Amino acid sequence: MKPYYQDDAVTIYHGEALGLVPLLPLFDAIVTDPPYSTGGMYRGDRMQSTVAKYVSSDTAAPRQEFTGDNRDQRSYLAWVTLWMTAALQRAKAGSVACLFTDWRQLPTTTDALQAGGWIWRGVAVWDKTLKARPAAGQFTSQAEYIAWGTCGPTEVRQLGYQIPGVFRAPAPDNADRDHITQKPLEVMRWVMDAIAPGGLVVDPFMGSGTTLVAAKESGRRAIGIEIEERYCEIAATRCSQEVLGLAL
Amino acid sequence: MKPYYQDDAVTIYHGEALGLVPLLPLFDAIVTDPPYSTGGMYRGDRMQSTVAKYVSSDTAAPRQEFTGDNRDQRSYLAWVTLWMTAALQRAKAGSVACLFTDWRQLPTTTDALQAGGWIWRGVAVWDKTLKARPAAGQFTSQAEYIAWGTCGPTEVRQLGYQIPGVFRAPAPDNADRDHITQKPLEVMRWVMDAIAPGGLVVDPFMGSGTTLVAAKESGRRAIGIEIEERYCEIAATRCSQEVLGLAL
DNA sequence: TGTAGGTATGAATCCGACT
DNA sequence: AAGTCGGATTCATACCTAC
């Protein structure tokens, strides 16, 4: 396993999550935003070869109606369960898992979390604030969700402050994004609060590496896995800039 | 079917939801906050009385129990599906369903919504703000959720403004509540925005009747069903005060 | 009317003791 | 043993009281 990039806090592997997760060192947290598209990403019935492209919930045109054909959702469940099961084997006791999801995949994601052997502890909300597409007479879909849980009993930490369960931060503008589903750094900083300082954070679907930057910046270590080399490059650049104190 | 209370906008029936829903006139929306049967990781915790589960141990003011809050998850799914199926039979095309739930029952609730034949359209978030019970080193559980959907295709309405998908409002103070789980009126006003003006709103688990007050106040009609007579009385009082313009 | 300080409490959760 | 029960604990926030 040769890293694509490495510094004292961050390691990036260029490769496929399902294959690489079992080879990771023991870690303290898995924080990730898997591709949760609802169509066209599964080739054949081999779920192992799934990660092909990222689709943003932001870019979807009008919402598809629920048709009763759960094929994609079932595959998604199986696939998430696979790598969460693998992750559990490499997780220290008390480790935290944070899985980003949209409203449509939230029930599937909590199922997969539990099917993978993790204890589901709750749902946190990223409120993207209202500026999204207009929807006539319907609740605006302005939130993403984090299904979170632990490996075994919770590790009790006295922080002296409460970690909000709802976090408000606008999504980055198109121009400021390297990746179509890129999260604002503030959101990832918020998530880091739920993880013990100094711990090792794993993101098997790294994308442009916001998780790694937030982890490093907040005194944690991180490992990122990404199948597309161009994102490995972007993330490596962001992490090394962070080294020099240039980020943000 | 003899009403417990009736005025020109509001009707209250004292009785049991499963039996009464099939007898209702055709309606435009079902908005309700069923007993979540939640309150704890462990079965034992969930089987406690509602006061033991939901009221802080050091709370001075006495609180009233409410019933129907001890189902396990399987039963909860079956039960919600039952009355949502019945409701669909009395729902006009394009009707809206809004089911309140907490994080733990959210996946079960969206399953039940769909199992009952409704089309799941999204999740709205009531952010209770950080005035919530803290949990050391964990995301605060400060939100409740609304699983919402429609009976058939959405009825397109031009509102001229967007309905937020995340709504911030602190839970009412202990002293200002008649029911342990009473919602703030503002929250119900927000929900009413998703329902056509003048429409008939049904709440089969009325409690202290906030849904009815919000419906009436916003120019809609409402039917409430409640199994405990004490809450029928409270709701009737609130609705009649609203008639006289005394509420709020 | 304003400001500062004290107090009560939340649709929890955890854990140990007891039946 | 598995199931029940009860007490301790967390802190941001709204509200009340006192100056």
Side-chain angles (χ1 to χ4, degrees), chain A residues 40-50 71-72 75-76:
Chain A
M41 68 178 281
Y42 297 97
R43 279 183 300 155
D45 46 6
R46 294 188 63 82
M47 282 144 208
Q48 285 84 350
S49 61
T50 44
R71 176 102 190 265
D72 284 341
S75 307
Y76 188 79

Side-chain angles (χ1 to χ4, degrees), chain B residues 199-218:
Chain B
L200 177 60
V201 181
V202 164
D203 183 351
F205 305 95
M206 180 187 67
S208 53
T210 311
T211 307
L212 273 60
V213 174
K216 180 170 184 174
E217 186 193 83
S218 66

Side-chain angles (χ1 to χ4, degrees), chain B residues 5-11 216 220-222 239 243:
Chain B
Y5 167 87
Q6 191 158 36
D7 63 40
D8 54 340
V10 161
T11 309
K216 180 170 184 174
R220 288 154 179 96
R221 292 165 297 128
C239 289
V243 171

Side-chain angles (χ1 to χ4, degrees), chain B residues 50-63:
Chain B
T50 51
V51 166
K53 283 195 291 190
Y54 302 138
V55 179
S56 294
S57 53
D58 52 358
T59 301
R63 298 248 54 94

Side-chain angles (χ1 to χ4, degrees), chain A residues 4 12-15 31-35 51 54 177-183 188 203-213 223-239:
Chain A
Y4 180 94
I12 294 174
Y13 294 106
H14 173 214
V31 175
T32 196
D33 184 26
V51 187
Y54 288 82
R177 283 184 299 179
D178 296 313
H179 193 285
I180 199 163
T181 69
Q182 188 168 333
K183 308 277 172 286
M188 285 305 178
D203 183 350
F205 306 95
M206 180 186 66
S208 54
T210 311
T211 306
L212 274 59
V213 174
I223 297 176
I225 300 172
E226 170 58 46
I227 198 163
E228 288 196 53
E229 186 161 6
R230 91 168 160 279
Y231 290 121
C232 289
E233 193 184 329
I234 290 169
T237 306
R238 292 179 73 196
C239 288

Side-chain angles (χ1 to χ4, degrees), chain B residues 13-97:
Chain B
Y13 294 107
H14 173 214
E16 192 267 326
L18 269 178
L20 294 181
V21 165
L23 309 176
L24 294 175
L26 294 180
F27 58 78
D28 302 274
I30 175 168
V31 175
T32 196
D33 186 28
Y36 300 167
S37 297
T38 183
M41 278 290 293
Y42 306 102
R43 184 171 166 275
D45 288 341
R46 290 191 293 274
M47 293 303 158
Q48 291 176 341
S49 77
T50 51
V51 166
K53 283 195 291 190
Y54 302 138
V55 179
S56 294
S57 53
D58 52 358
T59 301
R63 298 248 54 94
Q64 296 284 346
E65 297 283 347
F66 62 98
T67 49
D69 198 65
N70 296 289
R71 294 175 175 88
D72 69 21
Q73 216 157 48
R74 260 177 55 89
S75 309
Y76 189 77
L77 172 62
W79 175 69
V80 175
T81 303
L82 275 179
W83 51 262
M84 283 303 284
T85 304
L88 192 74
Q89 305 304 310
R90 311 305 302 154
K92 296 183 197 162
S95 292
V96 177

